[in-house]
Amino acid sequence: MTLEIDRSGHGSATDQRVDLAVSTVIFALRPHPVTGEPTVWLPLVRRIREPFEGRWALPGGPLQPHEDLASSAQHTLERTTGLTPNHLEQLYAFGRVDRSPDRVVSIVYWALVRAEEDAQVLPVPNVEWFVADEVSGLAFDHDDIVEYALTRLRAKITYSPIAYGFLPEEFTLAQLREVYEAVLGRQLDPANFRRQMIGRLQATGRCLEGLSHRPPALYRHDPTPSRTTLTFEETR
Amino acid sequence: MTLEIDRSGHGSATDQRVDLAVSTVIFALRPHPVTGEPTVWLPLVRRIREPFEGRWALPGGPLQPHEDLASSAQHTLERTTGLTPNHLEQLYAFGRVDRSPDRVVSIVYWALVRAEEDAQVLPVPNVEWFVADEVSGLAFDHDDIVEYALTRLRAKITYSPIAYGFLPEEFTLAQLREVYEAVLGRQLDPANFRRQMIGRLQATGRCLEGLSHRPPALYRHDPTPSRTTLTFEETR
DNA sequence: ACAAAAGTGTTACTAGTACACCCATGC
DNA sequence: GCATGGGTGTACTAGTAACACTTTTGT
């Protein structure tokens, strides 16, 4: 029990406060366990207390008074995966009264991490990775949240240069196309894809060698601010 | 002072809790005071206590434990304007540590109300309407929030049928075009505008009469779900 | 030489834009 | 008739999609 000053101006002894948590949907690409195709995965944490003890849930926790929202999301991500996000963006604030037995509002972020680093990560206790499209039975309303995060990822990749968040510094056009195909779930024409992307890329001059065919050129993301829809942080 | 149970699991006597508030950016169209052109306005509330006592701020208040986020936003809107929103959508959760002397996270909604009803509304004490593009010097980070809400309004009107939120049930194409022109801040070609809109409208068969020229047809919004980007509530 | 993937050229289609023009009404 | 805004036709443009074709490497 802690003595708290009631700043809401209308409290009473029976007045519950609303708890505030920050959670993060962390996306990475890994091969699908059956098909081997690049697929969107995400890490979940097994709950070790009620409510929903034993169920899988999005990583997160209560917001610390000294911490910004995005910092909280990023720290959760680093604790859960040992990685630094390549893209981090607020998803939505979920606050239905009935989403938890106690009253919790969750501000949810979504993030992209690189598959290359991801593969080197040591396993974290109580954390397991799942194919994003196949998760269900999560704690709270986290099924809905994951589905909505996927919707946003798939929408945003079509008009904003976020695909690089899944890739290393240098990459081939085929790798970039694989990212789009994994996220959108359909094949893209390599010829047209090339023409659409080439303007936003910097050629490194080098090629990826050692394959059994013509060596593809390596590119780097050109951060020239081409016109996109901006998130709040980006508009400031 | 109220006795509160510390549910965060890491509290101490010096541990401040984070307060949670819900605010609403309410947009309506009114004639510009100088030009007379339809313009985006919004109501603000004068703060009657510190911090920022005497400054204008977005209407809102602490989230009640029994209330959903959107309900809280809507109740604030009804208290402030006496109106029912025609469109209500979550904007963003603002939580920078330094945005207020005490620690407050604000979940902000934005809403559209109809100008017709709006004109009949009785004045509410401490509430005043301002031209949205001209507000500045607001309390907290509310200048930034208003600017971001305008950015979202202008972006969303280009790909989502929200303009009807400003209009009565039946309207002419010229009225609909005026809404777009007011929001986007530029003239639109009437001929092309007609062709772009006509597919999403239901003709009522009636016309607006009594003008000194050819009477324009009256239309109604066709709620057939054409493909748009969906907000979270709409995806469920 | 052949397979495989990189990369180019060409055409068709679509959505948006600019703008000339006709239509229907009140005065 | 004439002014005014409602409403139609049409040509131009840019971006996308489909797909045939050429290039360059390893084996």
Side-chain angles (χ1 to χ4, degrees), chain A:
Chain A
M1 302 264 280
T2 324
L3 210 55
E4 293 250 341
I5 296 172
D6 174 23
R7 270 170 276 121
S8 69
H10 43 74
S12 76
T14 60
D15 200 25
Q16 270 201 335
R17 285 285 297 275
V18 177
D19 274 320
L20 183 57
V22 177
S23 298
T24 310
V25 183
I26 304 162
F27 290 128
L29 292 189
R30 296 178 164 193
H32 191 279
V34 177
T35 67
E37 299 284 307
T39 312
V40 180
W41 292 64
L42 85 176
L44 297 173
V45 178
R46 196 193 292 276
R47 286 188 59 82
I48 55 172
R49 64 174 95 170
E50 293 295 342
F52 296 103
E53 182 173 347
R55 303 279 278 278
W56 294 101
L58 292 170
L63 179 65
Q64 303 301 108
H66 60 280
E67 213 173 23
D68 286 333
L69 296 171
S71 308
S72 176
Q74 177 157 350
H75 291 153
T76 294
L77 185 151
E78 287 166 354
R79 251 192 339 269
T80 309
T81 65
L83 302 173
T84 302
N86 219 253
H87 179 83
L88 180 68
E89 179 180 324
Q90 193 178 297
L91 177 66
Y92 201 76
F94 298 85
R96 287 170 55 101
V97 171
D98 60 2
R99 64 184 290 273
S100 170
D102 39 6
R103 184 72 205 279
V104 182
V105 170
S106 286
I107 298 178
V108 179
Y109 280 72
W110 64 280
L112 305 184
V113 296
R114 300 198 149 127
E116 50 156 7
E117 312 164 31
D118 160 41
Q120 309 162 2
V121 160
L122 296 176
V124 178
N126 280 314
V127 173
E128 213 165 287
W129 287 74
F130 297 84
V131 173
D133 270 318
E134 296 171 5
V135 297
S136 69
L138 303 191
F140 308 103
D141 52 359
H142 290 189
D143 283 350
D144 294 336
I145 296 178
V146 168
E147 190 185 331
Y148 183 53
L150 279 168
T151 305
R152 278 272 281 269
L153 168 63
R154 288 176 174 136
K156 186 140 191 174
I157 204 174
T158 63
Y159 63 87
S160 192
I162 56 167
Y164 313 107
F166 283 127
L167 290 172
E169 189 68 17
E170 300 189 359
F171 49 84
T172 68
L173 273 164
Q175 289 172 322
L176 184 60
R177 182 163 45 82
E178 276 178 353
V179 171
Y180 278 80
E181 289 178 342
V183 170
L184 297 177
R186 62 186 160 92
Q187 302 282 104
L188 298 174
D189 183 306
N192 294 329
F193 183 82
R194 175 190 186 77
R195 274 183 291 253
Q196 287 166 2
M197 291 295 145
I198 205 75
R200 305 184 167 211
L201 297 176
Q202 287 175 344
T204 64
R206 270 168 301 142
C207 287
L208 189 64
E209 294 181 48
L211 296 94
S212 68
H213 54 77
R214 175 171 173 177
L218 283 168
Y219 295 90
R220 194 181 292 115
H221 175 215
D222 179 1
T224 303
S226 47
R227 204 169 293 144
T228 61
T229 302
L230 300 173
T231 61
F232 176 70
E233 284 88 356
E234 291 159 355
T235 59
R236 306 195 75 219

Side-chain angles (χ1 to χ4, degrees), chain B residues 201-231:
Chain B
L201 296 177
Q202 288 175 344
T204 63
R206 268 167 303 142
C207 287
L208 190 63
E209 295 181 48
L211 296 93
S212 68
H213 54 76
R214 175 171 172 176
L218 283 168
Y219 295 90
R220 194 182 291 116
H221 175 215
D222 179 3
T224 304
S226 47
R227 204 169 294 143
T228 63
T229 303
L230 301 173
T231 60

